[in-house]
Structures are given as structure tokens and as C-alpha cells.
Amino acid sequence: MYQATLRPLDGGLAVYGLQRDASDMVVTAVCRSAAADPDFEDDAVALLAAALPHLVTITAIAGRLAQDRLAGQRIRDALDMVPDGVIVLDPDGRIRHVNAAADASLTRGDRIRRSRTGIVAANRADDLRLQRAIGAVRSFQGGFDDCERAAAATAPFQVMLGRGFPGWPLVANVMPGDRLSGSSFGGGIVVQLRDPGTVACLSPSSLVSELGLTHREAQLVQELARGATLTRSAANMDISTGTARQYLKTIFLKAGVDGQTDLLRLVSR
């Protein structure tokens, strides 16, 4: 302190203040030149003492903000490495963050795209379902307690986007922003975009989670994908052919395909 501050002031005096609040501590030194002000007035010392608690509060807030920014940046960096698209919306539905995969989908714009106020589905009927899901998550976060919001985070609203377009529809999972750790996204809304045509989505567990199939329906899809006929698949599953046929109709509806050929093309990609 002497070398850095007092010596350039031709010597002088310093008043030190220490304020501790839990783990936060602020040390303040007020220095005066000996040539100009040989001593401190009592009022100056009293002013310093009154200011110290506020300096501790300001320092603590600044530290928390810096930690939040760092945590948010780490989350954003991690999201850019995720193959699924991830869109983070603020509580009003405006885009807060888009990872690389989601940016590609939004730029392509064939199933989902940016709008002036947030995101919209390319198909009007799909967009109605998407906006309804976003609105439901927004209302859910505002009207339920922490335990109920945590439960909602594990069971997102699911919307199929682009069933009427060539190719496979995107599966949009809409969930509370608390699903992502860190207060940077707290209170917001996360839209996860998955392409059922990718290999990563074709495991039995993915067929259940992404297309909404039951475990038995996913098992039937796997049987058919391995080349078994519907009759043989039913026998392997110990069910009747009629039951397997009913399963298949439901699978077509959930997967957004028109027949078994399209379904097998989906699971073989």
C-alpha cells in the first residue's frame, strides 16, 4: 500500500475499513497526501464507516452476476455441442438463446422458423399446437409450486412439426427453463427439437420418449425393422396378429407416417 499509493502522494495517511458479511469481505483504504491534508476529519471517517456495508452488498451482487454470466456461458457452450436443437425462450416467448442445431432448423425454416416475437411453426395447425404448449408451460411455471414445476420438467409437452411436409417431422419438446441448470435460464421456456429420422432417435427408449410409443409398440417397430413379418413379429411378442395390426395403426398415427414402408424407412435411417 505504501509503495503503490502513499509514496506517490509524498507520504500521507490512510484510513482502513473492514466489513465482513458471511463469506463476503470488503477492505477499503482512503489515502490522503501529507502535503495537502495532514489528517482526516471525524466526518470523513464516519462517512467511510457508513459506506462500508453498502460496498459489501454491491460487491456481493457483482460477484453473483459474474458467476451467473459464467455459468450461463458454460451452458450455452455445452448446448452448441448437443446434436438436438435447443431453443431457450424468455418468459414472454422471445428467443434468449439458440444452439447451433436449432439455428440450422430455424434458418432452413421448413418446419419451424423465427418470428418477430419468438418462434413459429411453418404449418398453421402445428403452430397452434406449439404456441399452446409454450403458453401452457408459461402458465404452469407461474401458477404451481417448485415440486410441481420440477415434475413438469420431466414430462415435457410434445408437438410434432411438419407432418404434412416431405421428410420426417420434428419432435418439439416444450419444457420449463429450470430443466437447464443455472439461473440464466430460470423462468424461461426450453424447446428441444429432435429429428426422428436420425439414428440417435431409433433405440427403443427413444421411440418411446420421442414418438410417444408404448414399450410394446416400440418392440413391434424393432421386430419389423429387423425384417420380421407382422405375423412373425406378433408371434415373437406372444400377441395375436390382429393385436399387432392395431398396434401398427396407432404407431402410424404417432409417427406421422402413412404406412409400413414409410415407417421402416424412418427407423432404418
Side-chain angles (χ1 to χ4, degrees), residues 29-46:
V30 179
C31 304
R32 287 186 172 183
S33 168
D37 294 295
D39 202 354
F40 285 86
E41 297 83 4
D42 292 340
D43 290 345
V45 176

PDB file of all heavy atoms in Angstrom, residues 29-46:
ATOM      1  N   ALA A  29      -9.457   1.371   1.659  1.00  0.00           N
ATOM      2  CA  ALA A  29      -8.411   2.287   2.124  1.00  0.00           C
ATOM      3  C   ALA A  29      -8.612   3.634   1.442  1.00  0.00           C
ATOM      4  O   ALA A  29      -8.688   3.712   0.219  1.00  0.00           O
ATOM      5  CB  ALA A  29      -7.030   1.737   1.810  1.00  0.00           C
ATOM      6  N   VAL A  30      -8.716   4.687   2.241  1.00  0.00           N
ATOM      7  CA  VAL A  30      -8.827   6.046   1.719  1.00  0.00           C
ATOM      8  C   VAL A  30      -7.530   6.776   2.065  1.00  0.00           C
ATOM      9  O   VAL A  30      -7.165   6.868   3.245  1.00  0.00           O
ATOM     10  CB  VAL A  30     -10.038   6.785   2.321  1.00  0.00           C
ATOM     11  CG1 VAL A  30     -10.108   8.204   1.785  1.00  0.00           C
ATOM     12  CG2 VAL A  30     -11.309   6.022   2.002  1.00  0.00           C
ATOM     13  N   CYS A  31      -6.829   7.242   1.043  1.00  0.00           N
ATOM     14  CA  CYS A  31      -5.490   7.819   1.233  1.00  0.00           C
ATOM     15  C   CYS A  31      -5.501   9.323   0.955  1.00  0.00           C
ATOM     16  O   CYS A  31      -6.187   9.794   0.050  1.00  0.00           O
ATOM     17  CB  CYS A  31      -4.476   7.142   0.317  1.00  0.00           C
ATOM     18  SG  CYS A  31      -4.421   5.349   0.521  1.00  0.00           S
ATOM     19  N   ARG A  32      -4.692  10.050   1.714  1.00  0.00           N
ATOM     20  CA  ARG A  32      -4.548  11.489   1.516  1.00  0.00           C
ATOM     21  C   ARG A  32      -3.072  11.862   1.567  1.00  0.00           C
ATOM     22  O   ARG A  32      -2.299  11.290   2.336  1.00  0.00           O
ATOM     23  CB  ARG A  32      -5.306  12.266   2.593  1.00  0.00           C
ATOM     24  CG  ARG A  32      -6.814  12.221   2.418  1.00  0.00           C
ATOM     25  CD  ARG A  32      -7.491  13.120   3.424  1.00  0.00           C
ATOM     26  NE  ARG A  32      -8.923  13.215   3.144  1.00  0.00           N
ATOM     27  CZ  ARG A  32      -9.760  13.980   3.845  1.00  0.00           C
ATOM     28  NH1 ARG A  32      -9.297  14.708   4.851  1.00  0.00           N
ATOM     29  NH2 ARG A  32     -11.035  14.016   3.544  1.00  0.00           N
ATOM     30  N   SER A  33      -2.744  12.853   0.763  1.00  0.00           N
ATOM     31  CA  SER A  33      -1.373  13.342   0.748  1.00  0.00           C
ATOM     32  C   SER A  33      -1.069  14.092   2.038  1.00  0.00           C
ATOM     33  O   SER A  33      -1.866  14.903   2.508  1.00  0.00           O
ATOM     34  CB  SER A  33      -1.156  14.265  -0.449  1.00  0.00           C
ATOM     35  OG  SER A  33       0.067  14.957  -0.330  1.00  0.00           O
ATOM     36  N   ALA A  34       0.102  13.848   2.580  1.00  0.00           N
ATOM     37  CA  ALA A  34       0.514  14.564   3.798  1.00  0.00           C
ATOM     38  C   ALA A  34       0.686  16.048   3.525  1.00  0.00           C
ATOM     39  O   ALA A  34       0.479  16.888   4.415  1.00  0.00           O
ATOM     40  CB  ALA A  34       1.797  13.961   4.344  1.00  0.00           C
ATOM     41  N   ALA A  35       1.065  16.394   2.277  1.00  0.00           N
ATOM     42  CA  ALA A  35       1.281  17.806   1.961  1.00  0.00           C
ATOM     43  C   ALA A  35      -0.030  18.574   1.898  1.00  0.00           C
ATOM     44  O   ALA A  35      -0.117  19.731   2.323  1.00  0.00           O
ATOM     45  CB  ALA A  35       2.021  17.929   0.639  1.00  0.00           C
ATOM     46  N   ALA A  36      -1.076  17.938   1.368  1.00  0.00           N
ATOM     47  CA  ALA A  36      -2.349  18.644   1.194  1.00  0.00           C
ATOM     48  C   ALA A  36      -3.248  18.532   2.406  1.00  0.00           C
ATOM     49  O   ALA A  36      -3.859  19.512   2.838  1.00  0.00           O
ATOM     50  CB  ALA A  36      -3.064  18.104  -0.050  1.00  0.00           C
ATOM     51  N   ASP A  37      -3.389  17.324   2.938  1.00  0.00           N
ATOM     52  CA  ASP A  37      -4.312  17.090   4.044  1.00  0.00           C
ATOM     53  C   ASP A  37      -3.583  16.267   5.103  1.00  0.00           C
ATOM     54  O   ASP A  37      -3.501  15.050   4.991  1.00  0.00           O
ATOM     55  CB  ASP A  37      -5.553  16.332   3.558  1.00  0.00           C
ATOM     56  CG  ASP A  37      -6.362  17.177   2.587  1.00  0.00           C
ATOM     57  OD1 ASP A  37      -6.884  18.216   3.001  1.00  0.00           O
ATOM     58  OD2 ASP A  37      -6.468  16.759   1.407  1.00  0.00           O
ATOM     59  N   PRO A  38      -3.053  16.916   6.085  1.00  0.00           N
ATOM     60  CA  PRO A  38      -2.260  16.186   7.075  1.00  0.00           C
ATOM     61  C   PRO A  38      -3.060  15.203   7.910  1.00  0.00           C
ATOM     62  O   PRO A  38      -2.490  14.291   8.488  1.00  0.00           O
ATOM     63  CB  PRO A  38      -1.681  17.307   7.951  1.00  0.00           C
ATOM     64  CG  PRO A  38      -2.624  18.453   7.775  1.00  0.00           C
ATOM     65  CD  PRO A  38      -3.121  18.364   6.369  1.00  0.00           C
ATOM     66  N   ASP A  39      -4.377  15.350   7.969  1.00  0.00           N
ATOM     67  CA  ASP A  39      -5.144  14.449   8.818  1.00  0.00           C
ATOM     68  C   ASP A  39      -6.558  14.316   8.271  1.00  0.00           C
ATOM     69  O   ASP A  39      -6.992  15.092   7.418  1.00  0.00           O
ATOM     70  CB  ASP A  39      -5.188  14.990  10.251  1.00  0.00           C
ATOM     71  CG  ASP A  39      -5.496  13.878  11.253  1.00  0.00           C
ATOM     72  OD1 ASP A  39      -5.769  12.752  10.814  1.00  0.00           O
ATOM     73  OD2 ASP A  39      -5.458  14.162  12.464  1.00  0.00           O
ATOM     74  N   PHE A  40      -7.303  13.339   8.764  1.00  0.00           N
ATOM     75  CA  PHE A  40      -8.694  13.110   8.376  1.00  0.00           C
ATOM     76  C   PHE A  40      -9.622  13.752   9.395  1.00  0.00           C
ATOM     77  O   PHE A  40      -9.389  13.668  10.609  1.00  0.00           O
ATOM     78  CB  PHE A  40      -8.996  11.607   8.307  1.00  0.00           C
ATOM     79  CG  PHE A  40      -8.416  10.934   7.096  1.00  0.00           C
ATOM     80  CD1 PHE A  40      -7.117  10.457   7.117  1.00  0.00           C
ATOM     81  CD2 PHE A  40      -9.169  10.777   5.946  1.00  0.00           C
ATOM     82  CE1 PHE A  40      -6.584   9.828   6.013  1.00  0.00           C
ATOM     83  CE2 PHE A  40      -8.640  10.151   4.840  1.00  0.00           C
ATOM     84  CZ  PHE A  40      -7.351   9.680   4.855  1.00  0.00           C
ATOM     85  N   GLU A  41     -10.676  14.364   8.884  1.00  0.00           N
ATOM     86  CA  GLU A  41     -11.694  14.876   9.788  1.00  0.00           C
ATOM     87  C   GLU A  41     -12.555  13.717  10.294  1.00  0.00           C
ATOM     88  O   GLU A  41     -12.662  12.675   9.674  1.00  0.00           O
ATOM     89  CB  GLU A  41     -12.587  15.897   9.070  1.00  0.00           C
ATOM     90  CG  GLU A  41     -11.864  17.138   8.590  1.00  0.00           C
ATOM     91  CD  GLU A  41     -11.175  16.919   7.250  1.00  0.00           C
ATOM     92  OE1 GLU A  41     -11.346  15.810   6.671  1.00  0.00           O
ATOM     93  OE2 GLU A  41     -10.453  17.830   6.793  1.00  0.00           O
ATOM     94  N   ASP A  42     -13.161  13.940  11.448  1.00  0.00           N
ATOM     95  CA  ASP A  42     -14.036  12.904  12.012  1.00  0.00           C
ATOM     96  C   ASP A  42     -15.206  12.593  11.084  1.00  0.00           C
ATOM     97  O   ASP A  42     -15.655  11.440  10.992  1.00  0.00           O
ATOM     98  CB  ASP A  42     -14.562  13.356  13.371  1.00  0.00           C
ATOM     99  CG  ASP A  42     -13.471  13.419  14.419  1.00  0.00           C
ATOM    100  OD1 ASP A  42     -12.431  12.766  14.196  1.00  0.00           O
ATOM    101  OD2 ASP A  42     -13.676  14.095  15.443  1.00  0.00           O
ATOM    102  N   ASP A  43     -15.720  13.619  10.377  1.00  0.00           N
ATOM    103  CA  ASP A  43     -16.849  13.403   9.471  1.00  0.00           C
ATOM    104  C   ASP A  43     -16.466  12.461   8.333  1.00  0.00           C
ATOM    105  O   ASP A  43     -17.276  11.638   7.896  1.00  0.00           O
ATOM    106  CB  ASP A  43     -17.340  14.736   8.900  1.00  0.00           C
ATOM    107  CG  ASP A  43     -18.019  15.598   9.956  1.00  0.00           C
ATOM    108  OD1 ASP A  43     -18.356  15.044  11.014  1.00  0.00           O
ATOM    109  OD2 ASP A  43     -18.210  16.806   9.700  1.00  0.00           O
ATOM    110  N   ALA A  44     -15.236  12.574   7.826  1.00  0.00           N
ATOM    111  CA  ALA A  44     -14.795  11.704   6.736  1.00  0.00           C
ATOM    112  C   ALA A  44     -14.706  10.259   7.190  1.00  0.00           C
ATOM    113  O   ALA A  44     -15.084   9.326   6.471  1.00  0.00           O
ATOM    114  CB  ALA A  44     -13.451  12.182   6.197  1.00  0.00           C
ATOM    115  N   VAL A  45     -14.200  10.056   8.411  1.00  0.00           N
ATOM    116  CA  VAL A  45     -14.107   8.695   8.938  1.00  0.00           C
ATOM    117  C   VAL A  45     -15.510   8.114   9.152  1.00  0.00           C
ATOM    118  O   VAL A  45     -15.777   6.938   8.859  1.00  0.00           O
ATOM    119  CB  VAL A  45     -13.307   8.698  10.248  1.00  0.00           C
ATOM    120  CG1 VAL A  45     -13.281   7.285  10.851  1.00  0.00           C
ATOM    121  CG2 VAL A  45     -11.891   9.176  10.003  1.00  0.00           C
ATOM    122  N   ALA A  46     -16.439   8.924   9.646  1.00  0.00           N
ATOM    123  CA  ALA A  46     -17.810   8.460   9.870  1.00  0.00           C
ATOM    124  C   ALA A  46     -18.487   8.113   8.543  1.00  0.00           C
ATOM    125  O   ALA A  46     -19.246   7.139   8.450  1.00  0.00           O
ATOM    126  CB  ALA A  46     -18.611   9.537  10.603  1.00  0.00           C
TER     127      ALA A  46
END
